[in-house]
Amino acid sequence: MVHRREIDGQEVVFGVHGALWGNAMTWWDHDTGSVWSQPIGEAIAGPRKGARVELLPSSLTTWGSWRAANPETLALDSPASRGGFALEDMVVVVDFVDDAAAYPITTLRQGVVANDVVAGAPVAVLVDPEDPDAWRVFSRRLDDQTITLLRDGPHIVDAETGSTWDPQLGVAQDGPLAGEVLDLLPGFTAVPSDVGTFWPSGRVWG
């Protein structure tokens, strides 16, 4: 997950605190020494307790999938052991202030688009029909219209007009809505057991 490191217009420097909270990483901010929980992006101790940093759109995927969609990407290549995360064992979490929902990757890979509402915002969580490692969270709202996204074979279409949508960019490629763009929303992957720990009032979709 990626957070904007700005609080009340001030750029803040964070470091790894070292301790775990809820079996997950904590940070500390250099100017006040407050301790932050990474999964919820909230200060849990110190002068800034209760403050939150803005979550930004990001994706956990394979390098091959990322390069296919973003061929100009440059990356830091440093020796490291192989990661222990398997995407199929995870959920995509959408967390909007006072509401959170988790969407199992295994369900999304079965050709399901999760059309849902989180904190009053209509969202669609989906996996690219041609790349099971590429998932996205989009807003389903277009001006004064809310659409429903569906899988139609190798395509993503909306139920209202039948327009075809790019599953990674959220752009309508053809049909009555051609050229329209859905807003990309922040979401992140987590292990299912963390849902109850960090989002106790959250729900698992499906």
Side-chain angles (χ1 to χ4, degrees):
M1 60 193 66
V2 179
H3 293 88
R4 188 186 303 280
R5 58 184 186 91
E6 186 177 279
I7 302 173
D8 297 330
Q10 176 187 354
E11 186 177 289
V12 178
V13 176
F14 290 90
V16 176
H17 182 254
L20 298 180
W21 186 73
N23 202 34
M25 179 189 292
T26 55
W27 314 317
W28 65 286
D29 63 61
H30 287 202
D31 55 329
T32 75
S34 298
V35 180
W36 296 71
S37 167
Q38 181 201 24
I40 59 176
E42 181 176 327
I44 56 176
R48 284 201 171 110
K49 183 177 181 179
R52 296 189 72 164
V53 284
E54 180 187 357
L55 184 68
L56 301 176
S58 61
S59 180
L60 174 66
T61 185
T62 62
W63 176 237
S65 176
W66 179 266
R67 280 295 299 273
N70 305 273
E72 301 303 316
T73 298
L74 297 177
L76 174 65
D77 185 10
S78 60
S81 58
R82 184 177 179 85
F85 295 104
L87 194 56
E88 60 267 21
D89 297 331
M90 307 185 83
V91 294
V92 176
V93 176
V94 178
D95 177 18
F96 294 159
V97 185
D98 59 353
D99 192 13
Y103 306 87
I105 289 288
T106 52
T107 301
L108 301 177
R109 282 179 170 178
Q110 292 170 9
V112 175
V113 176
N115 290 276
D116 201 5
V117 177
V118 181
V123 303
V125 187
L126 57 88
V127 165
D128 186 334
E130 297 184 353
D131 186 351
D133 293 322
W135 58 267
R136 293 289 186 271
V137 181
F138 292 112
S139 170
R140 296 190 288 117
R141 185 172 289 142
L142 285 171
D143 297 324
D144 58 351
Q145 179 183 14
T146 298
I147 64 173
T148 304
L149 296 182
L150 306 169
R151 276 278 292 269
D152 181 17
H155 304 292
I156 299 292
V157 301
D158 67 76
E160 289 72 21
T161 73
S163 300
T164 303
W165 296 82
D166 185 303
Q168 297 205 39
L169 301 177
V171 178
Q173 298 169 309
D174 57 42
L177 296 178
E180 294 283 354
V181 182
L182 299 175
D183 288 333
L184 181 65
L185 300 178
F188 52 90
T189 48
V191 294
S193 59
D194 280 351
V195 175
T197 301
F198 295 102
W199 305 277
S201 60
R203 55 195 165 81
V204 177
W205 188 85

